[in-house]
Amino acid sequence: MPLLTRSVTASAVALVALSLAACGGGSTATESAADNPYDLQQPGTLRAGTLTDAPPNVFLKDGKFTGFDNDLLTAVAAKLGLKVEFVGTEFSSLLAQVKTRKFDVGSSSISITEARKKTVDFTNKYDFGFLGLDVPKGSSITSFDQLAGKRVVVVQGTVQDDYATRENLNPVRVPDYNAALNQLRTGTADAWITPAEIGEKTAGESGGKVLAVAKQLDPGGIAYAVAPGNDKLRAALDKGIDAVVADGTWAKLQKQYYPSREIPADFEPGSGSTASQ
């Protein structure tokens, strides 16, 4: 066969092979998008970053991640045909891990703030919260306006940290709730600004050594965090939240985890809260 003919033939074969590869790649990409419409790390599984030590919101019990936020997320995921894989982490790093997609979603009673919106996107609100104030037994502190000049501890990166910073309290920042509680127990902190439900539960289980003395409404509201730009997942979670509100799951879990907590008259979970975000 002449050299020119062999060259042309080889080029033609290469072009055909390239075209087939391109077509195959497009098909694979289309199939992948169909199998994984929410751009999850693993199709069919929602990988959720959460905490192990913050009851009744999120905690580990008998080797299982549970709490209001996590049980609600499991119910929301079921509405979408997904299962949830919970992974423990520290709150101080949770939002950054969601942003970089180490986790598909963050579940940890996360208050919505303008600063956090620069790091992650939020679903519609599914809960509300209060700032709480815990002090050691015998403390003279009974309100938030007595904290100036005191040694105040907060968990780093939380809305309580935001509040303490905004109020110029120069807080001591620790990585988790157990570390904050230890500050009170050892007398190295005068007060701990908490999520109120966590603070009340901690005080109730302390045998009188820690007291929950005050609380005030957190204006931000609470939502799940997703990576910026993952609009399909965010929208799906919003639909799932509406579904568990409609079927009574949200109300059931509220009664289970917060039996004595009053729901503010102007709070509505799910899409009813969209306008206020």
Side-chain angles (χ1 to χ4, degrees):
M1 181 183 293
L3 178 60
L4 179 59
T5 303
R6 287 200 301 269
S7 176
V8 171
T9 302
S11 298
V13 170
L15 286 172
V16 170
L18 183 60
S19 298
L20 290 173
C23 291
S27 176
T28 301
T30 301
E31 291 172 0
S32 177
D35 293 340
N36 192 15
Y38 309 126
D39 196 16
L40 305 177
Q41 292 187 46
Q42 180 180 341
T45 299
L46 192 64
R47 184 175 170 87
T50 188
L51 276 63
T52 62
D53 62 347
N57 304 87
V58 289
F59 60 101
L60 194 63
K61 182 178 181 181
D62 300 327
K64 178 183 177 181
F65 286 98
T66 186
F68 175 78
D69 301 61
N70 288 342
D71 287 4
L72 187 73
L73 182 60
T74 298
V76 168
K79 297 292 185 182
L80 305 176
L82 303 173
K83 63 180 181 179
V84 184
E85 177 191 0
F86 289 106
V87 181
T89 188
E90 293 181 352
F91 191 88
S92 58
S93 57
L94 175 58
L95 297 186
Q97 291 169 330
V98 172
K99 179 180 179 179
T100 59
R101 300 207 179 197
K102 178 177 182 179
F103 302 123
D104 300 309
V105 62
S107 171
S108 184
S109 192
I110 305 170
S111 296
I112 302 168
T113 68
E114 291 303 315
R116 289 175 179 173
K117 288 180 180 179
K118 297 177 182 178
T119 303
V120 295
D121 288 346
F122 287 102
T123 64
N124 288 332
K125 301 175 187 178
Y126 64 83
D127 201 12
F128 60 94
F130 292 87
L131 301 177
L133 185 61
D134 279 18
V135 299
K137 179 182 178 180
S139 173
S140 62
I141 298 172
T142 59
S143 66
F144 285 88
D145 58 13
Q146 294 176 299
L147 295 178
K150 304 296 184 181
R151 186 174 173 85
V152 177
V153 64
V154 296
V155 175
Q156 182 178 355
T158 61
V159 70
Q160 295 81 39
D161 186 358
D162 294 343
Y163 171 84
T165 302
R166 188 168 62 249
E167 296 296 317
N168 297 314
L169 297 177
N170 191 27
V172 176
R173 297 176 176 89
V174 295
D176 56 44
Y177 294 105
N178 284 330
L181 178 59
N182 286 335
Q183 291 269 329
L184 289 188
R185 287 174 171 168
T186 59
T188 53
D190 300 312
W192 171 23
I193 302 176
T194 72
E197 292 80 11
I198 294 171
E200 290 169 355
K201 184 174 178 62
T202 299
E205 296 176 347
S206 71
K209 296 179 180 180
V210 174
L211 304 176
V213 295
K215 69 178 181 180
Q216 62 187 40
L217 186 66
D218 168 15
I222 291 168
Y224 296 115
V226 300
N230 194 347
D231 296 334
K232 289 183 178 180
L233 176 59
R234 178 183 52 76
L237 291 173
D238 283 343
K239 290 180 180 179
I241 292 170
D242 284 346
V244 298
V245 170
D247 72 7
T249 300
W250 183 89
K252 177 183 177 181
L253 291 174
Q254 282 281 325
K255 291 179 181 179
Q256 176 182 341
Y257 287 102
Y258 313 118
S260 61
R261 185 176 73 163
E262 294 185 6
I263 300 174
D266 59 349
F267 178 79
E268 184 178 354
S271 58
S273 65
T274 304
S276 61
Q277 286 192 32

